[in-house]
Amino acid sequence: MPSRYYVHRDDNDEDERKRKREGQEGYIYFHKSRGQHILTNPRVLDSIVRRAEIRPTDTVLEIGPGTGNLTLKLLEVAEKVFAVEIDKRMVEVLNNRVAECGLEDRLTVICKDALKMDFPPFDLIVANIPYGISSPLIAKLVFGAYPFRSATLLLQKEFARRLLANPGDSAFNRLAVNVKLVAEVEFVMDVSKKDFIPCPKVDSSVVKIWPKTKVPDVDMHEWWAFTRTCFNKKNKTLGATFKQKKKVVELLRRSQMMDSLKDHVATRYNYDDYDDKEEQEEQSDGEHCFPSPCSEKDLVSFKEMIAEVLKAGGFEAKRPSKLSIEELLHLLSLLNQAGIYFNDRTKGKDVSNEGFVASYSS
């Protein structure tokens, strides 16, 4: 990439001077707070494109193209590239660079927020994702209505480690559980922080995600709410988690509500119960819709029923961080069969997915 497009942020005292220079020809100011770290190593760029396995007939979606280093590589091998960039300054640089190479007829730049727009049809995703939107963007891709062959993504190394984690790993969490329910995730390579301008504080990793051809037959909204409960304190035993009075009261009220809805038309569900902050205290939803307060007798009886389900299934002393997806699916099935539900089904489904994506944003 021509060096005239770069302004390094090596010293905070020079920030104001660099902003002033941005108006001059050939300079652009990168905002670290927006995750604007431009990958500059041509060998790494070539490796990402090669591992993406792009066909000559493919349409590629790129999120956060920045000044176009990766975009130009994609245009060399793909039939069409959709590049989604929210920064108008970057859009201008990107369009100019592509025009200089005579490839503008194969590129469509969309100046919008990737989390708030409907994506055009595409075959593959290849992107250096801004760190701040990694979680909600991956959630939008794997749980959204966007059929695609694979996603080759450059992510913050720690985030990638969490995404790749397996049961028993210290990094295994709700993010990994939910993504791996519907997709396969593979490590591709590590990328040094020195390969970016401006240089971030941490290294990065490239991962590849493939949607599964067969997805378990489970109510996704119920699954999200269930894993949120289990992984709120992932290293706590399930027996201890389901002894908490606040949680028992919430589940009892939902159970009572489900009983009252059995003879009615099936209700629609929402995405609002999904939150990847596993250490954050869960907040109950829709309590204003619950029936009258439950009695102490009902509460004790319901608590004992949950304990019996856990004990009968052999889950009482187990911890969510050690359970496989198959074991978690089995536990959810046992609880649902006993009339224990996790999702608030009184709310309408957010068909646009916006509520779900927003709940995954920090």
Side-chain angles (χ1 to χ4, degrees):
M1 178 181 177
S3 60
R4 66 179 182 274
Y5 290 112
Y6 291 136
V7 168
H8 298 256
R9 293 191 60 188
D10 299 327
D11 191 289
N12 290 333
D13 294 337
E14 297 181 356
D15 283 356
E16 186 60 32
R17 178 178 60 82
K18 291 173 182 176
R19 286 193 183 95
K20 292 178 180 178
R21 291 180 68 189
E22 185 170 6
Q24 303 174 22
E25 182 180 0
Y27 289 94
I28 189 167
Y29 181 85
F30 297 123
H31 297 274
K32 284 187 177 180
S33 61
R34 300 178 188 173
Q36 292 179 341
H37 300 279
I38 310 300
L39 179 61
T40 60
N41 189 325
R43 291 192 297 272
V44 175
L45 290 165
D46 287 337
S47 295
I48 291 173
V49 173
R50 184 174 63 255
R51 294 300 296 269
E53 300 178 289
I54 302 170
R55 301 168 187 169
T57 56
D58 279 338
T59 296
V60 177
L61 176 67
E62 184 184 10
I63 309 295
T67 54
N69 287 3
L70 180 59
T71 312
L72 290 174
K73 299 286 186 180
L74 296 173
L75 288 169
E76 292 176 2
V77 293
E79 181 177 48
K80 179 77 175 178
V81 174
F82 288 107
V84 181
E85 175 58 62
I86 196 172
D87 192 330
K88 294 180 180 179
R89 304 169 309 139
M90 300 291 184
V91 170
E92 182 180 357
V93 173
L94 176 59
N95 281 328
N96 289 339
R97 292 189 68 199
V98 172
E100 289 174 3
C101 298
L103 299 171
E104 63 270 25
D105 60 326
R106 292 161 59 187
L107 173 69
T108 299
V109 182
I110 305 171
C111 189
K112 290 185 179 179
D113 185 337
L115 298 180
K116 298 179 180 179
M117 65 169 287
D118 292 327
F119 295 139
F122 60 91
D123 301 298
L124 301 170
I125 306 146
V126 185
N128 172 17
I129 296 181
Y131 293 159
I133 65 169
S134 297
S135 293
L137 183 58
I138 289 177
K140 179 174 181 175
L141 292 172
V142 300
F143 291 113
Y146 303 104
F148 62 93
R149 197 163 72 246
S150 69
T152 305
L153 307 175
L154 181 57
L155 305 165
Q156 194 175 57
K157 188 173 183 178
E158 177 62 24
F159 181 88
R161 191 173 73 90
R162 293 173 55 210
L163 197 62
L164 291 159
N166 294 310
D169 294 344
S170 61
F172 187 62
N173 59 10
R174 188 168 176 261
L175 172 68
V177 167
N178 286 316
V179 171
K180 290 184 177 181
L181 178 73
V182 297
E184 302 287 349
V185 186
E186 177 189 75
F187 170 78
V188 176
M189 63 181 176
D190 287 328
V191 180
S192 171
K193 60 185 178 181
K194 296 178 182 179
D195 291 328
F196 296 85
I197 292 179
C199 181
K201 295 181 179 180
V202 297
D203 292 331
S204 297
S205 296
V206 178
V207 302
K208 195 167 183 178
I209 300 173
W210 290 273
K212 289 182 178 179
T213 54
K214 290 185 178 180
V215 176
D217 184 17
V218 61
D219 182 331
M220 288 297 178
H221 313 287
E222 179 71 7
W223 170 261
W224 293 328
F226 166 69
T227 56
R228 180 181 181 179
T229 295
C230 292
F231 281 83
N232 185 41
K233 298 292 182 181
K234 66 177 184 177
N235 291 316
K236 201 171 187 177
T237 65
L238 290 165
T241 294
F242 287 101
K243 283 180 181 178
Q244 299 176 69
K245 184 173 182 180
K246 180 181 177 181
K247 176 53 60 181
V248 174
V249 169
E250 179 185 336
L251 294 176
L252 174 56
R253 289 176 174 175
R254 285 209 175 117
S255 177
Q256 291 174 336
M257 199 154 44
M258 285 302 300
D259 289 340
S260 68
L261 293 173
K262 282 183 180 179
D263 297 327
H264 291 76
V265 177
T267 57
R268 298 172 299 168
Y269 311 131
N270 74 357
Y271 291 91
D272 292 341
D273 277 337
Y274 199 72
D275 184 351
D276 69 327
K277 297 179 180 177
E278 62 196 53
E279 299 302 329
Q280 181 178 342
E281 182 66 23
E282 179 187 2
Q283 297 180 358
S284 60
D285 296 320
E287 292 196 8
H288 62 283
C289 300
F290 287 138
S292 56
C294 49
S295 67
E296 189 66 28
K297 181 180 178 181
D298 289 338
L299 190 62
V300 172
S301 177
F302 190 73
K303 186 175 181 179
E304 290 175 349
M305 182 176 69
I306 295 176
E308 288 175 6
V309 172
L310 294 175
K311 187 175 182 179
F315 290 102
E316 188 176 27
K318 292 187 176 180
R319 306 173 195 277
S321 60
K322 308 291 184 181
L323 297 180
S324 67
I325 290 177
E326 290 72 23
E327 289 174 312
L328 289 167
L329 284 167
H330 180 52
L331 173 57
L332 177 59
S333 177
L334 293 177
L335 291 167
N336 284 172
Q337 289 173 21
I340 302 164
Y341 297 93
F342 295 82
N343 181 45
D344 180 1
R345 304 188 177 198
T346 62
K347 298 180 180 179
K349 180 180 177 181
D350 181 357
V351 295
S352 69
N353 255 11
E354 290 184 3
F356 166 57
V357 173
S359 70
Y360 210 160
S361 304
S362 56

